[in-house]
Structures are given as C-alpha cells and as structure tokens.
Amino acid sequence: MKTRLVVLILCAFLVTAIQARATILPDACGDDSIKFDVKTETSKTPPAAPEAGKAQIVFIENENHAVGPFMYATVRYGLDGAWAGANNNNSYFVVNVEPGVHHLCASWQSAFGRIKKNIDVASFTAEPGKVYYFAANVKVTPAGDNQVNIDFSLSPLNDDEGKYRVKAWKLATWKTNK
C-alpha cells in the first residue's frame, strides 16, 4: 500500500512540475497545446492574389541546416492570438487577412525545453491588396560535442526575397492535434 501511495505522490509531483515548465507564449500566439503535423510538396503555381479587400501574409521558414539527422524545425505561426498554421524545412504557406494592425508570433514546435523557448514576435499594418512576407529564420551551427547553437528570429522580407523564397521553397500543409 505504501508503494502505491509513493507512486501516486511522485506522479502528482511530475505533472505539477511539467505544467510549471510550460512555455508562456506572447498574446499573438495560439494555444501552446496545439501541435502541427506538417507535410511539404512542390508547387508549380504561385499563390493566388489576395482576396478582394484583403491583404495577404506569406509565412516562410528559412532553415540553413537540419537540426539533427533527418530532423527539421517545425515552426508555428500565430496571428492575432490564434495559430494560422505551420511549416518546416524551407517551406511557406499563405493567409489572407483583413486590413489593419496585426500581431504575429513564430514559435518553434518542440518537446525539448531549450528549443521550445525559441519564440519571436512582430507586428505590421496590412493594406488591402498588398502581400507581406515574413520569415522564421532558423540558423543551426555546430557547437562541438554533438551540440548545436540555434539562432531563431521572425523578420519581414522584401518583395523580391519573398517571391524568390516562394518560387524556390515547397508549399506547406498541415493537420493540427492536441
């Protein structure tokens, strides 16, 4: 009976410790419990123009190197407090938005605590008919002893670079799960 009690107390402690370590995300992000399964595919057609009266955001991931053997970063993108989607391994996706001020978030989806803290935010004012490109930049550099340093940022791209990335990268699609 004492063994069961000890196991029960230990389990309760671990659940509390895990919840206490949960990442606090900026308001621009979505619910941290939502995860994405991302697939990429080569797209021969460029994205359609923004819907009438709306602006368009193209979320791009620039990743210079795999994080590990056959492991690429999956980045979730928040838009005004909800997840807009995710991509990985040099890919993009498109979202149409209403004109006005928008708050963006990029969060590296990972089960590893150190990586999960890679979050960046941005804001901008969207105008009808315009296309805005934002890139989550994932820069991985070796640090010795099978370690890597990770530099993570969200930044706007100019039209030329954004159009080039869309042409060169794959289109991302995803499914969400909790």
Side-chain angles (χ1 to χ4, degrees):
M1 185 69 165
K2 287 184 182 181
T3 304
R4 286 185 185 171
L5 182 59
V6 169
V7 169
L8 181 63
I9 291 171
L10 181 60
C11 287
F13 174 75
L14 289 174
V15 167
T16 303
I18 290 169
Q19 289 174 343
R21 288 188 46 164
T23 301
I24 297 172
L25 295 174
D27 291 341
C29 296
D31 181 346
D32 194 30
S33 67
I34 296 174
K35 305 297 181 211
F36 292 86
D37 293 321
V38 178
K39 293 184 191 266
T40 60
E41 59 189 47
T42 302
S43 177
K44 301 290 184 199
T45 58
E51 295 173 10
K54 293 192 175 190
Q56 190 173 76
I57 305 172
V58 180
F59 289 104
I60 299 170
E61 181 184 340
N62 289 324
E63 190 168 349
N64 74 324
H65 192 279
V67 193
F70 308 106
M71 293 173 33
Y72 296 94
T74 296
V75 178
R76 305 178 293 182
Y77 297 87
L79 173 64
D80 300 328
W83 295 121
N87 55 18
N88 68 9
N89 190 16
N90 293 329
S91 62
Y92 72 93
F93 70 93
V94 176
V95 175
N96 288 308
V97 297
E98 295 294 331
V101 176
H102 293 283
H103 303 277
L104 308 176
C105 162
S107 169
W108 188 333
Q109 174 180 294
S110 175
F112 302 112
R114 177 175 164 248
I115 293 174
K116 194 172 188 176
K117 293 177 184 161
N118 283 315
I119 300 166
D120 203 4
V121 293
S123 62
F124 76 106
T125 302
E127 296 179 25
K130 289 202 168 187
V131 178
Y132 301 89
Y133 299 91
F134 283 87
N137 301 295
V138 180
K139 185 176 179 185
V140 179
T141 54
D145 295 329
N146 294 325
Q147 300 291 317
V148 294
N149 287 326
I150 299 167
D151 183 30
F152 182 82
S153 64
L154 176 65
S155 60
L157 301 178
N158 65 44
D159 286 349
D160 292 332
E161 187 173 3
K163 288 175 184 177
Y164 166 70
R165 295 292 179 213
V166 167
K167 188 176 177 180
W169 287 180
K170 293 182 176 184
L171 175 66
T173 59
W174 63 87
K175 291 181 183 178
T176 58
N177 58 50
K178 266 193 162 186

